[in-house]
Amino acid sequence: MSQRAFYVTTPIYYVSGNPHIGHAYTTVAADVMARTTRCTHETAHFLTGTDEHGQKIAENARNAGLEPQAFVDSLIPRWKSLLDAYQITNDDFIRTTDERHERGVQRAFEILRERGDIYPGKYEGWYCTNDETFWPESKLIDGRCPNPECRREVKWLSEQDWFFRLSAYNERLLAHFKAHPQWVRPQRVYNEMLAILESGLEDISITRATLSWGIPVPGGEGVIYVWFDALLNYITAIGWESPDTAQRALFERLWPANVHLIGKEIARFHTIIWPAVLWGLGLAEPTSVIANGWLTFNDEKMSKSKGNVVDPFEIAQRFTSDAVRYFLLREAPFGQDFNFSEEAVVRRYQADLGNDLGNLLNRTLTMVEKYCDGRVPAPADAANLPIAGLAGRVAASVPACNFRDALEDIWQLVTALNKMIDESKPWELKKRGETAALNACMYRLCEGLRWLAVLLHPFMPAKSQEMWRQLGFAQTPAQPWADALRWGVAAEGTHVSKGAPLFPHLETAVEGA
RNA sequence: GGCUCGGUAGCUCAGCGGUAGAGCAGGGGACUCAUAAGCCCUUGGUCGCAGGUUCAAAUCCUGCCCGAGUCACCA
């Protein structure tokens, strides 16, 4: 009886470092998708969370003089505050240290072991402790870890581990990729994954015999490898194999996920290993996996060593999180790398947000106050405003991650409204006493701005709300589009209440530019 | 080295077989409701290079140059 809901996820974030702008990017994209879906379908379920196991965490904890659990507990508020700073409306937040997750991972392990998809084997090779990685002899550089940021000594390890029979799914994965060329996007990532499948898969070790900070192997030694653990969050969070029947019903309603949003660096885990694991568990693969690109800063890769990591808290503080959300999704096509520079943010802020949108609201409200006694006039038709099919196009672009197209479409209405003012010249209509034409023009502006508030709400929730308030409407612009995006909904007589500019001029010049 | 993607106006990008496009930036203009914003007009490109296919190529094919990514457990 229950309705299907749109299920969208972000990666769970590895808490070994601080949140940076890239985390905000993926999360904002997911949030816009979730918010839009709530206005166009009925329900969305939006999951994000944190990845807390692994050796790096254990070491950081030791350095901090804390037990791993206490250590990760201390980090969580910082990560959750990122969600607050960016007005993220996640429905759930999973931690891999949650009891529900640990139980689910162990259950998955047992099921796969019973089915023969997990088997014991010996794993040996050159191991870099820092990177938690086995490297083949051929990869080593001067006998050291080939990771340019590591370069530590490696040691020969040989241990009894459990292996996942990934190779058994090679053919099925290939067939799935061929049958669903759109299931991994962008195309470039799809191609790379396909190439890996065509070159053949080997089984992978999914436990670490010598580590202790992780989920214990059921009835065995060691812990489950952090990656195998992490992927399962998408189902453990929504009640897979839960003892609670309500939770199990949630799972039935949500799985398979509509969209896993990921960073492009983790595509292999999500498009090759993850479907195979799900198939092993008798579950369906996610409908789509969409990878976003990297953000560079002033054309350089962001890295801690360069000290050029953009702090998402600081940037939101300076420009407002709405403006940063807008910038991230408007500046470049999703899936493509793009450069983050303060000049670019300032440009978008001033040109698109301040001059086009903010000023449109401001000049409209001034005129409504001057010419219409501060009230929305009687409804008039939409004249030539480009609203036909607009809602439908945005509703289609967003779930496909074409945020840029969506915003460009919306901005055509912004531009058209500005243009209409200049062409209609309400001040002249006023002088000549052409009240009917004046009122019609002012109505179109109010109604057009109402549309904009509704359409922009998923992208800029706070600014959209403020637009809504200044226009004098009750409640919120977060409304079902089927009802709200019809022309003529703005009620005659609504009192507008003009406020401070929506996107005031930035006080300070760009620093360090 | 193999493979993948990209190289189009100063910048960010769209177009992907039929007379070169948008936004921003630059230049000029008319206006005044407005956050000196908006509106109108406009400068600007041998579509990386060289061949080929075609009546017709930015768009298809080949080679080359440049940049990025990836090549198996790197969260």
Side-chain angles (χ1 to χ4, degrees):
Chain A
M1 206 57 191
S2 55
Q3 280 260 287
R4 276 280 305 162
F6 190 92
Y7 181 30
V8 54
T9 67
T10 72
I12 49 175
Y13 300 115
Y14 200 56
V15 295
S16 69
N18 269 325
H20 69 83
I21 192 73
H23 298 114
Y25 183 38
T26 314
T27 310
V28 163
D31 186 58
V32 170
M33 199 178 284
R35 285 180 185 265
T36 301
T37 301
R38 292 184 193 114
C39 295
T40 56
H41 298 55
E42 40 314 314
T43 329
H45 189 83
F46 171 16
L47 175 70
T48 188
T50 46
D51 184 5
E52 306 181 11
H53 291 305
Q55 180 152 328
K56 228 175 274 180
I57 301 286
E59 277 175 12
N60 289 355
R62 197 177 315 125
N63 293 338
L66 292 171
E67 286 301 308
Q69 184 66 54
F71 177 69
V72 294
D73 285 348
S74 75
L75 297 174
I76 297 307
R78 177 106 179 128
W79 288 86
K80 286 192 169 172
S81 71
L82 180 72
L83 304 180
D84 293 335
Y86 280 87
Q87 309 170 70
I88 303 303
T89 56
N90 53 304
D91 295 285
D92 196 359
F93 187 96
I94 182 139
R95 301 177 52 182
T96 55
T97 50
D98 284 349
E99 188 271 338
R100 58 178 170 165
H101 179 70
E102 301 197 339
R103 187 186 57 235
V105 170
Q106 291 194 320
R107 181 81 190 108
F109 193 95
E110 284 166 352
I111 291 174
L112 293 171
R113 189 163 55 186
E114 283 162 21
R115 287 181 161 229
D117 273 341
I118 289 179
Y119 63 91
K122 181 185 267 191
Y123 199 18
E124 53 186 14
W126 293 101
Y127 186 77
C128 171
T129 311
N130 183 65
D131 288 5
E132 291 179 54
T133 303
F134 281 96
W135 297 99
E137 179 90 37
S138 60
K139 281 287 187 83
L140 298 181
I141 299 174
D142 299 331
R144 288 169 170 270
C145 176
N147 177 351
E149 288 178 17
C150 179
R151 286 291 155 75
R152 281 166 234 259
E153 283 183 22
V154 293
K155 58 185 175 187
W156 182 257
L157 271 190
S158 173
E159 62 182 42
Q160 251 343 95
D161 282 327
W162 292 89
F163 284 73
F164 175 66
R165 213 177 288 281
L166 183 63
S167 59
Y169 292 94
N170 204 337
E171 286 311 309
R172 186 170 171 186
L173 282 162
L174 262 175
H176 186 254
F177 268 71
K178 295 264 170 66
H180 304 277
Q182 291 287 309
W183 101 278
V184 178
R185 278 173 293 159
Q187 185 72 236
R188 175 174 8 106
V189 175
Y190 172 92
N191 290 342
E192 273 170 13
M193 296 306 118
L194 188 60
I196 289 173
L197 290 175
E198 284 173 340
S199 72
L201 298 173
E202 287 177 11
D203 295 347
I204 56 173
S205 146
I206 57 162
T207 61
R208 291 291 122 100
T210 53
L211 303 186
S212 59
W213 178 236
I215 298 176
V217 171
E221 308 257 302
V223 299
I224 294 170
Y225 181 54
V226 61
W227 252 112
F228 189 78
D229 157 4
L231 283 167
L232 288 158
N233 90 85
Y234 302 124
I235 61 173
T236 61
I238 58 169
W240 175 72
E241 290 283 307
S242 169
D244 180 322
T245 51
Q247 283 292 302
R248 294 171 91 109
L250 182 67
F251 178 79
E252 292 307 318
R253 205 159 74 86
L254 295 178
W255 195 258
N258 295 67
V259 180
H260 286 324
L261 278 174
I262 62 169
K264 65 178 182 180
E265 76 283 7
I266 56 178
R268 192 172 55 236
F269 293 95
H270 284 81
T271 66
I272 294 179
I273 299 175
W274 181 224
V277 169
L278 285 165
W279 291 337
L281 295 171
L283 300 172
E285 71 289 342
T287 306
S288 67
V289 178
I290 307 181
N292 63 249
W294 284 128
L295 281 90
T296 56
F297 181 70
N298 293 341
D299 291 319
E300 286 192 331
K301 188 171 179 175
M302 286 188 205
S303 69
K304 270 177 257 176
S305 53
K306 282 183 181 153
N308 65 348
V309 177
V310 173
D311 177 356
F313 296 100
E314 186 195 320
I315 208 80
Q317 181 80 30
R318 285 189 54 193
F319 295 99
T320 72
S321 66
D322 283 80
V324 179
R325 286 169 65 112
Y326 174 82
F327 174 81
L328 290 172
L329 299 182
R330 174 63 184 79
E331 184 68 5
F334 200 74
Q336 200 161 305
D337 292 355
F338 75 104
N339 187 43
F340 189 101
S341 71
E342 294 203 355
E343 294 94 314
V345 180
V346 168
R347 251 194 322 267
R348 287 288 174 198
Y349 182 97
Q350 285 176 340
D352 298 5
L353 299 177
N355 297 349
D356 290 351
L357 179 63
N359 186 48
L360 171 63
L361 177 70
N362 199 244
R363 65 199 298 217
T364 295
L365 294 181
T366 299
M367 289 189 286
V368 171
E369 285 182 346
K370 274 191 185 172
Y371 305 149
C372 304
D373 204 21
R375 293 159 186 264
V376 175
D381 63 48
N384 295 321
L385 295 173
I387 56 166
L390 176 58
R393 285 195 302 279
V394 175
S397 293
V398 169
C401 280
N402 294 325
F403 303 108
R404 187 184 220 247
D405 293 345
L407 287 167
E408 280 180 351
D409 263 327
I410 294 169
W411 242 254
Q412 294 205 350
L413 179 55
V414 175
T415 300
L417 289 168
N418 271 318
K419 191 168 181 160
M420 186 180 72
I421 296 177
D422 286 83
E423 287 174 351
S424 305
K425 301 184 173 58
W427 48 95
E428 288 188 4
L429 296 175
K430 175 66 178 176
K431 274 183 205 157
R432 294 203 298 265
E434 293 180 34
T435 312
L438 175 62
N439 285 344
C441 177
M442 298 317 297
Y443 184 83
R444 288 176 187 128
L445 286 168
C446 293
E447 177 65 353
L449 279 162
R450 191 185 63 79
W451 274 55
L452 288 173
V454 172
L455 285 165
L456 287 172
H457 167 260
F459 296 90
M460 298 188 283
K463 295 297 185 184
S464 146
Q465 180 67 51
E466 175 59 12
M467 281 178 77
W468 196 255
R469 191 192 67 74
Q470 292 198 20
L471 287 162
F473 301 124
Q475 298 175 327
T476 93
Q479 301 185 0
W481 287 5
D483 301 325
L485 294 183
R486 285 179 303 148
W487 187 263
V489 170
E492 178 179 5
T494 303
H495 272 89
V496 304
S497 75
K498 183 179 161 186
L502 206 54
F503 297 97
H505 274 298
L506 299 165
E507 291 293 328
T508 50
V510 178
E511 297 165 27

